[in-house]
Amino acid sequence: MIKVEQQKRRAIVTGGTRGIGRAIVKELASKSCCGILFSDVVFAYNNCDECAEELQKEIGNPYTKVHAFKADASSFEEAQAAVDYAAEKLGGIDILINNAGITRDNLLLRMNEAEFDQVIDVNLKSVFNYSKAVLKYMMKQKYGRVINISSVVGLIGNPGQSNYAASKAGVIGMTKSLAKEYASKNITFNAVAPGFIETEMTEKLNEKQREALLKNVPLHRLGTPEDVAKVVGFLVSDAADYITGQVINVDGGMVM
């Protein structure tokens, strides 16, 4: 008989109700994942209470605890509250997935200060907020796995997304710096950089726009949130114990 409790991990996922975040929550909580049988999960979210309730019901796994916590990822105080809640409910934290993110696309000359600041605060400052909050728990147990969701836009840029590109490039720089700071404590930091992924945003594209995107993708398809979640699942597993400070593109070959 498999001893479930001995193989479980305790995870917190930000931006967990939609798209990639939702897929990551399900990957960690609902299935055998790279040597981790199940994970107990707290997912943080800032909008859509109904989405949070639906996700909890959808997982419906008798072996797994799944809790939702409403918090603004750009606020350190709220991030700290979410982390403390997760540590209390789960008995500790082994895994942090920094996934919270927004877009406020505009050409630079048309972009206002609020559009720039909001993207930096949610996409980049949230990584500072949650990483800082979670480290006291991980350092005490001398174990931790942190995965930051960046983007290929942070590597190559994109017109109309200077704020988004800056935030995601910052996530990569922070990932590498923290990987060096905390490697001696057995805490790894890695980043995943998705390319074009099937989300609510890409669903709005017409056929011509979609074909234009796919011309830049050698595998000639958009990725799925599950494609990203599987890579995250690998990076938090024991199979990735010797990997830190890396950026893994999940982009169908778009950036080589």
Side-chain angles (χ1 to χ4, degrees):
M1 179 180 292
I2 297 175
K3 295 181 180 180
V4 175
E5 292 295 331
Q6 292 183 0
Q7 298 187 52
K8 294 178 83 170
R9 298 289 189 271
R10 301 158 299 181
I12 181 167
V13 181
T14 71
T17 56
R18 295 175 176 171
I20 291 172
R22 184 184 184 89
I24 290 171
V25 171
K26 293 175 70 175
E27 177 74 14
L28 295 180
S30 300
K31 64 183 70 173
S32 179
C33 176
C34 299
I36 300 174
L37 185 59
F38 296 104
S39 294
D40 290 332
V41 182
V42 167
F43 64 89
Y45 71 102
N46 195 31
N47 296 297
C48 193
D49 294 333
E50 291 181 3
C51 299
E53 293 174 6
E54 287 174 6
L55 178 56
Q56 287 178 288
K57 292 177 181 177
E58 186 177 341
I59 290 174
N61 189 320
Y63 300 107
T64 305
K65 300 174 186 175
V66 179
H67 303 277
F69 190 90
K70 194 169 187 177
D72 179 356
S74 67
S75 163
F76 179 78
E77 289 76 16
E78 293 191 30
Q80 181 72 68
V83 168
D84 290 343
Y85 173 85
E88 179 183 354
K89 285 292 185 181
L90 307 182
I93 301 175
D94 304 303
I95 296 164
L96 166 63
I97 313 297
N98 281 309
N99 170 72
I102 61 171
T103 57
R104 296 289 185 270
D105 297 350
N106 221 334
L107 296 175
L108 185 60
L109 288 176
R110 297 176 182 173
M111 186 181 296
N112 60 46
E113 189 175 4
E115 288 172 333
F116 185 86
D117 289 346
Q118 288 170 4
V119 170
I120 296 298
D121 286 347
V122 175
N123 296 7
L124 179 57
K125 185 171 180 284
S126 65
V127 177
F128 165 84
N129 292 340
Y130 274 91
S131 297
K132 184 176 176 66
V134 83
L135 275 169
K136 69 177 181 180
Y137 295 104
M138 292 183 173
M139 289 181 69
K140 185 176 181 179
Q141 64 198 19
K142 295 184 179 179
Y143 179 90
R145 299 291 177 261
V146 180
I147 310 299
N148 298 323
I149 305 302
S150 181
S151 168
V152 294
V153 173
L155 296 168
I156 62 175
N158 199 37
Q161 289 192 309
S162 59
N163 50 359
Y164 186 76
S167 70
K168 293 303 187 178
V171 168
I172 291 171
M174 188 177 293
T175 299
K176 292 178 177 291
S177 295
L178 295 178
K180 291 182 177 181
E181 285 185 24
Y182 294 99
S184 64
K185 305 298 183 182
N186 193 31
I187 302 171
T188 65
F189 286 78
N190 290 290
V192 174
F196 295 130
I197 305 297
E198 292 276 12
T199 62
E200 292 178 4
M201 183 176 66
T202 56
E203 286 175 359
K204 299 175 183 178
L205 298 174
N206 60 42
E207 195 61 32
K208 186 175 181 180
Q209 291 171 323
R210 183 177 289 261
E211 280 301 315
L213 288 181
L214 292 178
K215 286 181 181 179
N216 297 314
V217 181
L219 288 182
H220 205 68
R221 72 169 176 88
L222 299 185
T224 67
E226 290 73 25
D227 289 327
V228 180
K230 289 173 185 176
V231 174
V232 171
F234 165 71
L235 287 173
V236 302
S237 75
D238 293 345
D241 279 353
Y242 199 55
I243 300 174
T244 194
Q246 303 305 307
V247 182
I248 299 181
N249 297 347
V250 184
D251 64 356
M254 176 183 168
V255 178
M256 294 189 186

